[in-house]
């Protein structure tokens, strides 16, 4: 009933089905479930063998959306470790304070945040390994893809992991103080998946994820449920309305989720008029009231 095992099962049931497209990279890599599961196994083995990550230990990530986020999530879940999903908008002092509370052993980061990471990691003695996703990283940091492929591809099974164990830490907005880490258990992810499937998500569906995965909307609302049932998640590095419209059309997305501002920006994109969104079965919106005029515009023009 834990998430790492779910990925292994999906790799067994539908190994060649497309799981993830990482559009944030120039080559736009595609990954099947078999490939994604092997990446998770390799990274889990590296975490355990090289970084000495044990069940209950934290692995931190400060990164834009990309396959590496899912690699880390599934690898931690296989080990029984916890992925701490840090908000990349934080000031380094705020990040350092939260890292001091959560004591990650490994810290993964996108190149854009290396200055923040340099200062926050220096103030966090628990960090023994830093991994950069792209660029040259920091002195002493290792390239994520290199360490992943150095890990053994052997399956990782931790029978001690139960549905009550924490799989991830998702942090609150901190509007009344320092952001607090919500402990997301494997059971919570399973129940959210059940609620989402009832909502009308089907095996083989495709969606374009536009939410940052440090947020519950990006990681847990549709991404994890869709991957558990065997769908395809198109990842974008950051929200770009013209790109999103093009991806919905190209990959024939079945559903889409956004906030009202995103929907408004889609209607103002230069390719709005010619974009074919006929594949969409439904759209959802959250975060604020969706204006009726915007709903009517989508119904009228798309």
């Amino acid at each position: 009933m834990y998430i790492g095992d779910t990925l292994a099962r999906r790799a067994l049931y539908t190994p060649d089905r497309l799981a993830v497209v990482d559009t944030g990279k120039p080559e736009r890599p595609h990954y099947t479930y078999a490939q994604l599961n092997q990446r998770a196994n390799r990274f889990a083995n590296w975490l355990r063998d090289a970084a000495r990550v044990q069940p209950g230990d934290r692995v931190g990530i400060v990164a834009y959306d990309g396959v590496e986020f899912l690699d880390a999530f599934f690898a931690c879940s296989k080990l029984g470790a916890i992925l701490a999903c840090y908000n990349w908008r934080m000031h380094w002092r705020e990040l350092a304070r939260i890292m001091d509370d959560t004591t990650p052993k490994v810290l993964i980061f996108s190149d854009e945040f290396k200055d923040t990471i340099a200062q926050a990691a220096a103030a966090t003695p628990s960090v023994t390994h830093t991994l950069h996703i792209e660029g040259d990283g920091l002195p002493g940091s290792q390239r994520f893809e290199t360490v992943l492929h150095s890990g053994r591809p052997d399956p990782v099974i931790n029978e001690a992991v139960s549905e009550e164990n924490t799989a991830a830490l998702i942090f609150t907005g901190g509007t009344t103080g320092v952001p607090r880490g919500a402990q997301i258990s494997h059971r919570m992810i399973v129940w959210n998946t059940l609620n989402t499937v009832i909502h009308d998500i089907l095996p083989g569906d495709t969606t374009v994820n536009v939410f940052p995965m440090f947020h519950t909307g990006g990681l847990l609302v549709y991404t994890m449920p869709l991957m558990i049932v065997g769908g395809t998640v198109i990842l974008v590095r950051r929200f770009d309305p013209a790109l999103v419209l093009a991806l919905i059309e190209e990959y024939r997305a079945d559903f889409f989720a956004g906030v009202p501002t995103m929907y408004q920006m889609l209607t103002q994109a230069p390719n709005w008029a010619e974009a074919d969104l006929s594949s969409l079965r439904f759209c959802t919106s959250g975060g604020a009231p969706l204006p009726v005029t915007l709903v009517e515009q989508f119904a009228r023009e798309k």
Side-chain angles (χ1 to χ4, degrees):
M1 197 174 178
Y2 66 93
I3 300 307
D5 183 58
T6 300
L7 181 59
R9 290 177 184 171
R10 182 49 57 193
L12 177 65
Y13 298 152
T14 55
D16 299 324
R17 185 177 292 173
L18 182 61
V20 172
V21 180
D22 189 347
T23 69
K25 297 179 174 58
E27 65 276 20
R28 193 184 286 187
H30 290 51
Y31 301 94
T32 65
Y33 278 98
Q35 291 170 329
L36 198 67
N37 188 54
Q38 185 181 84
R39 288 176 64 89
N41 282 332
R42 285 185 178 278
F43 192 49
N45 278 308
W46 181 87
L47 286 172
R48 183 172 58 189
D49 298 342
R52 299 292 186 260
V53 171
Q54 301 296 315
D57 286 344
R58 273 72 61 201
V59 173
I61 185 166
V62 184
Y64 289 129
D65 288 5
V67 68
E68 297 83 6
F69 216 110
L70 295 174
D71 294 333
F73 178 81
F74 284 118
C76 286
S77 295
K78 286 172 178 286
L79 288 173
I82 300 168
L83 184 66
C85 308
Y86 301 127
N87 186 335
W88 40 256
R89 298 188 180 99
M90 291 181 185
H91 184 274
W92 78 264
R93 293 186 185 277
E94 185 178 30
L95 177 60
R97 181 169 178 178
I98 293 174
M99 286 171 52
D100 185 59
D101 288 339
T102 52
T103 61
K105 283 188 173 180
V106 177
L107 190 58
I108 305 162
F109 64 95
S110 292
D111 190 63
E112 288 88 339
F113 311 121
K114 65 182 181 182
D115 293 339
T116 297
I117 295 302
Q119 297 178 87
T124 311
S126 65
V127 176
T128 59
H129 293 76
T130 53
L131 307 179
H132 58 276
I133 294 174
E134 62 279 294
D136 297 326
L138 295 166
S141 70
Q142 299 170 272
R143 188 171 181 83
F144 181 93
E145 198 72 15
T146 300
V147 302
L148 182 148
H149 284 289
S150 72
R152 294 177 291 109
D154 307 345
V156 177
I157 301 174
N158 184 352
E159 297 293 350
V161 177
S162 81
E163 58 270 23
E164 303 305 337
N165 288 122
T166 299
L169 296 175
I170 302 291
F171 292 85
T172 64
T175 53
T176 59
V178 177
R180 297 172 176 84
Q183 300 178 66
I184 308 299
S185 70
H186 294 273
R187 182 190 292 275
M188 291 166 67
I189 295 171
V190 170
W191 275 105
N192 179 69
T193 297
L194 176 61
N195 291 333
T196 305
V197 169
I198 294 173
H199 179 84
D200 197 25
I201 181 175
L202 303 174
D205 275 355
T206 297
T207 193
V208 178
N209 176 50
V210 295
F211 296 120
M213 283 199 284
F214 65 71
H215 188 276
T216 185
L219 184 61
L220 302 177
V221 171
Y222 282 128
T223 298
M224 286 312 307
L226 189 55
M227 300 199 70
I228 289 172
V229 303
T232 302
V233 179
I234 314 300
L235 298 176
V236 296
R237 188 170 175 83
R238 297 192 70 179
F239 179 69
D240 177 330
L243 175 62
V244 168
L245 290 173
L247 292 173
I248 291 173
E249 180 175 346
E250 178 179 354
Y251 290 96
R252 305 299 295 164
D254 297 279
F255 60 88
F256 175 77
V259 298
T261 301
M262 289 177 174
Y263 283 106
Q264 184 66 48
M265 293 173 70
L266 290 176
T267 66
Q268 297 170 347
N271 55 338
W272 167 255
E274 63 268 21
D276 179 6
L277 307 185
S278 61
S279 64
L280 291 173
R281 192 168 68 250
F282 67 89
C283 294
T284 60
S285 177
L290 185 64
V292 174
T293 54
L294 195 53
V295 176
E296 292 173 342
Q297 182 178 2
F298 265 78
R300 181 176 63 253
E301 299 179 10
K302 294 301 174 185

